[in-house]
Amino acid sequence: MLQNARVLRSEFVPTELQHRDTEQTALTEALEPLTDGDRADPIILTGPTGVGKTTLARFTLERLEEAALGLQTAVVNCWQNHSPYRTLFRILDELGRTVDVHRQSTPQDVLLERLREFDDDCVIVLDEADQLEDKSIIYDLRRMPQFTLVLIANREQDLFAGLDSRLRSRLQGTQTVRFEPYGVDELTAILEARADAAFGHPEAVSTSLLQEIADAAAGDARVAITMLREAAKTADRDDRNQLTRADVDAAIPEGRQTVRDETVESLKPTQRTLYEIVEAYVDEHGEPMPPSALYDAYEEAADDPVGNRQVRRHLNKLEHYELIAIRGSSRDRRYALPDTDASQ
DNA sequence: CTTCCACAGGAATAACAGGCAC
DNA sequence: GTGCCTGTTATTCCTGTGGAAG
């Protein structure tokens, strides 16, 4: 039944965006000067996950590249490239300027120098910019006149946290486009469009089933599309050309799990061990985990355990990735799972 | 009130791995 | 190969915090 599975990938950029008109207009207008060869001011996109921030940025850049000849773009995910070095490397990579830059043995200063020498107009999108380990590279990039910055973050305050005060005051004046979670109807419409493109025939899935998925996804399009993909995979495997309620009901928890697994996959072994320990403890006891129990369990589980301090560093990373939640200070510190509450 | 304890997290430093020049 | 860069991860040492025990 799957005619075009590609459109069910969450990173797929559709040819038409739905329910993001005001955001789209705002971003397009902010980048307008580039079509005349001028530099545009930085712009910030904020909102929870799965509301189309990244998709809109990519979508808009594609249009812009058609309108402004010679304009270059670089989209970098700072979650996956959180060290300053990696981020700079990725930007150069996106711009095709890594030819004579050798991984690992080229100092960060040289990467910055390469960027400084770059002489075409260019839009740099820092996706998940709040995850940057060292945000001073935002400052460095901003000072280079050929670059226009688009900063994407879940919450504006996370982006500003850890920013140099000079830069903060400058960025505070910049335009922010805020994305709200999709409503059930909006999400259903998005799913409908994807379903039509993915399955050659319109009766493959009923609107009410899509509505059910949209409702379960709580405004997160990435989760919703993943759920639809899981359901489609099941039907495809059984060689059916229609999605059943059973497919959908099974896909709802699966889709959620898949999204989480994708994150856990990218963790380093130590981090994954720690995450699994916290997850297992909370599952079993139904309450957050106290530090001593966590350290003991970790030393038990790891074959070559890392030191106390390093464990804490990894736990902070996990919190950053929103895989665990850290509550309380000093004595009553507890490690929990983040509340999957989408009402923010 | 002082002391102790469990814990957090900063700073300096070391160990390591990839890549380059020789 | 050796030596020398680099970024990354881990260790060691340290100071600070806040509740509990004395």
Side-chain angles (χ1 to χ4, degrees):
Chain A
M1 74 178 280
L2 274 172
Q3 302 275 312
N4 189 357
R6 203 168 53 94
V7 303
L8 292 185
R9 304 186 63 84
S10 47
E11 66 271 19
F12 174 78
V13 181
T15 51
E16 206 175 318
L17 284 186
Q18 300 179 63
H19 305 294
R20 285 299 177 230
D21 292 345
T22 53
E23 293 85 351
Q24 190 184 332
T25 309
L27 183 57
T28 306
E29 276 175 7
L31 298 177
E32 187 71 42
L34 288 164
T35 54
D36 303 325
D38 295 328
R39 181 199 197 187
D41 288 327
I43 183 162
I44 298 171
L45 312 182
T46 64
T49 50
V51 292
K53 303 186 296 293
T54 310
T55 307
L56 177 65
R58 287 189 182 277
F59 178 87
T60 308
L61 288 193
E62 276 175 25
R63 300 294 125 109
L64 198 60
E65 280 177 311
E66 287 165 18
L69 289 172
L71 181 72
Q72 306 253 17
T73 61
V75 182
V76 175
N77 186 314
C78 302
W79 195 91
Q80 285 152 357
N81 304 281
H82 45 82
S83 78
Y85 183 84
R86 285 252 170 83
T87 309
L88 294 173
F89 185 87
R90 285 294 307 158
I91 295 171
L92 280 165
D93 197 34
E94 290 268 310
L95 297 175
R97 295 297 170 98
T98 39
V99 209
D100 53 344
V101 173
H102 316 291
R103 234 175 200 293
Q104 290 290 322
S105 63
T106 310
Q108 197 176 306
D109 301 358
V110 176
L111 299 188
L112 265 174
E113 201 47 48
R114 276 298 134 75
L115 283 170
R116 211 167 273 130
E117 285 163 7
F118 193 79
D119 47 12
D120 290 331
D121 281 335
C122 174
V123 182
I124 295 178
V125 178
L126 296 180
D127 198 1
E128 317 223 29
D130 53 322
Q131 301 288 338
L132 280 172
E133 220 157 74
D134 180 2
K135 290 176 182 148
S136 66
I137 72 160
I138 297 177
Y139 184 76
D140 294 330
L141 290 172
R142 217 199 105 92
R143 294 205 317 175
M144 302 179 198
Q146 66 274 42
F147 296 122
T148 294
L149 289 180
V150 178
L151 305 173
I152 303 181
N154 282 6
R155 294 183 308 171
E156 206 169 342
Q157 70 233 48
D158 294 337
L159 180 60
F160 286 137
L163 269 185
D164 191 83
S165 56
R166 314 167 277 180
L167 181 57
R168 186 183 313 189
S169 56
R170 250 187 250 176
L171 280 181
Q172 248 149 12
T174 67
Q175 192 188 349
T176 301
V177 182
R178 294 189 175 77
F179 289 64
E180 299 300 325
Y182 292 110
V184 172
D185 291 344
E186 293 172 335
L187 213 43
T188 306
I190 289 171
L191 287 174
E192 214 141 38
R194 297 284 177 113
D196 283 349
F199 320 129
H201 53 118
E203 61 278 5
V205 57
S206 72
T207 305
S208 67
L209 284 181
L210 292 180
Q211 234 159 17
E212 194 177 314
I213 295 177
D215 191 48
D220 187 333
R222 181 179 174 212
V223 171
I225 291 168
T226 305
M227 287 170 175
L228 180 60
R229 189 174 68 231
E230 292 294 331
K233 268 200 279 187
T234 314
D236 206 40
R237 198 160 40 228
D238 299 351
D239 228 13
R240 283 179 280 112
N241 60 1
Q242 208 164 19
L243 293 192
T244 64
R245 175 159 297 273
D247 294 334
V248 168
D249 286 345
I252 284 172
E254 270 171 35
R256 230 189 277 285
Q257 190 59 39
T258 303
V259 169
R260 174 146 296 195
D261 285 350
E262 280 167 10
T263 313
V264 177
E265 271 305 298
S266 64
L267 295 178
K268 296 174 186 73
T270 310
Q271 296 173 335
R272 194 181 311 185
T273 308
L274 286 168
Y275 169 71
E276 281 162 2
I277 287 171
V278 174
E279 189 187 33
Y281 184 97
V282 175
D283 274 357
E284 187 183 344
H285 297 77
E287 59 180 26
M289 192 169 192
S292 56
L294 176 50
Y295 295 147
D296 291 350
Y298 167 72
E299 293 208 356
E300 184 71 23
D303 34 338
D304 191 10
V306 103
N308 213 302
R309 181 68 186 92
Q310 192 63 14
V311 166
R312 256 175 267 138
R313 231 188 286 273
H314 282 307
L315 287 168
N316 284 340
K317 286 268 172 68
L318 290 177
E319 187 198 27
H320 233 81
Y321 302 161
E322 290 179 340
L323 285 169
I324 66 171
I326 297 181
R327 308 221 181 91
S329 61
S330 82
R331 204 69 184 256
D332 34 280
R333 170 61 66 97
R334 290 291 181 278
Y335 296 95
L337 296 179
D339 26 327
T340 44
D341 176 21
S343 63
Q344 28 170 328

